[in-house]
Structure formats: structure tokens, C-alpha cells
Amino acid sequence: MVIAQRSAIADRSAVTTWSGSLAAGRGSVTSGSGALDHLPVTWAARTHEAAGMTSLEELAAVAHSACFSMALAM
């Protein structure tokens, strides 16, 4: 008996580096594809003023927005 194995629709990865404490530290995110390359992230950018940096919530919002648009197009 042969069982077919399906591949995932999308298989993606990312790497985050972080130095310091939560409040005073800083880090960066890089996607496996290289499309997002060392985007700076800090706790302050997530909770106060972005100062030109992205936040995890912003990245999640972008992903959901694009996914929803593609679903509507289907």
C-alpha cells in the first residue's frame, strides 16, 4: 500500500535575535526567504512609538490581510 504524502501549502521560517532585557533590549527579525532582512524590533516599538520599526502585530496584520484578500479572490 502506498500512502501519498501532501506537502504543506506554505512552509516558511524566520529567525529572531534579541539582546538585553524586555524593556531596554532590542532585536531583529529575518525571514527565511530573505524578503524581511534584519528588521529592527523593540518593546517600545510594539507598545509606544514605532520610530520606523515594525512590530510583531504589524507583521501578523500584513499576513492576515494578504491571506484574506487571496481567499476573497478565490
Side-chain angles (χ1 to χ4, degrees):
M1 172 190 280
V2 175
I3 298 174
Q5 190 175 25
R6 287 193 202 192
S7 61
I9 292 173
D11 184 15
R12 301 290 181 256
S13 64
V15 174
T16 301
T17 58
W18 188 266
S19 297
S21 67
L22 176 61
R26 56 188 322 105
S28 66
V29 294
T30 300
S31 63
S33 69
L36 307 174
D37 190 25
H38 294 93
L39 294 178
V41 292
T42 64
W43 179 251
R46 285 187 72 189
T47 58
H48 302 302
E49 294 183 27
M53 291 183 254
T54 191
S55 70
L56 307 177
E57 292 78 12
E58 185 176 41
L59 294 172
V62 168
H64 285 117
S65 173
C67 184
F68 187 73
S69 296
M70 290 178 194
L72 287 176
M74 186 173 60

